[in-house]
Amino acid sequence: MILTTPSQRRDLLAKTATIAMVGASNDPLRPSYTVFSYLRTQTPYVVTPINPTLAEIDGVAAFPSLQAYAAARGAPDLVDVFRRPSELVAIVREAIAIEAAAIWFQYGVINDEAIALADGAGMSVVVDRCIKVEQARFRGGLSTSGLNSGLITSRRRAV
């Protein structure tokens, strides 16, 4: 089922405890690191990086694949994906093989074939949304656009 409404995404996040993040990076300049770090430190989720080129990120052991993760820990509740759209079909097939219940495609990570494959397998599917923004928004920490300046104004700042 493709989750299109905020209440559907909120329900998915409410029942999620473990997240396997495919494509998590150890580079603090990359969004995949920012989201990994936020989810790990600001939420109750157990977040694990899936990246074949890394042994760990911030002391959290990384797994080279979803299959390696599942062999050690069982299926995650949710697979969060930060990979190129051309790689998504293989990632979805791996997520289906380990019986992950849900898959979340981050902003711009869109592949219609992969989305249909995940949906057809009965997974809960979120497309073109940031899990960090959605989680923070549902907790009241962000506005709909994902920004929380604490200041409401239409004036531009002096440079």
Side-chain angles (χ1 to χ4, degrees), residues 44-112:
Y45 304 128
V46 176
V47 186
T48 303
I50 309 298
N51 188 322
T53 66
L54 300 173
E56 56 89 21
I57 298 176
D58 293 345
V60 179
F63 288 86
S65 66
L66 287 171
Q67 290 176 340
Y69 172 93
R73 298 185 181 178
D77 295 329
L78 188 149
V79 175
D80 186 27
V81 183
F82 278 92
R83 296 300 300 164
R84 293 185 181 103
S86 62
E87 299 176 19
L88 297 185
V89 171
I91 292 168
V92 168
R93 286 189 174 127
E94 194 175 16
I96 292 169
I98 66 167
E99 300 180 355
I103 193 160
W104 191 296
F105 300 111
Q106 291 288 144
Y107 288 141
V109 180
I110 301 169
N111 178 311
D112 291 337

Side-chain angles (χ1 to χ4, degrees), residues 3 27 29 34 38 43 48 62 64-65 74 76 81 85 101 108 114 126 149 157:
L3 309 183
D27 181 348
L29 299 177
T34 303
Y38 173 85
T43 71
T48 303
S65 66
V81 183
V126 178
S149 67
R157 289 184 173 174

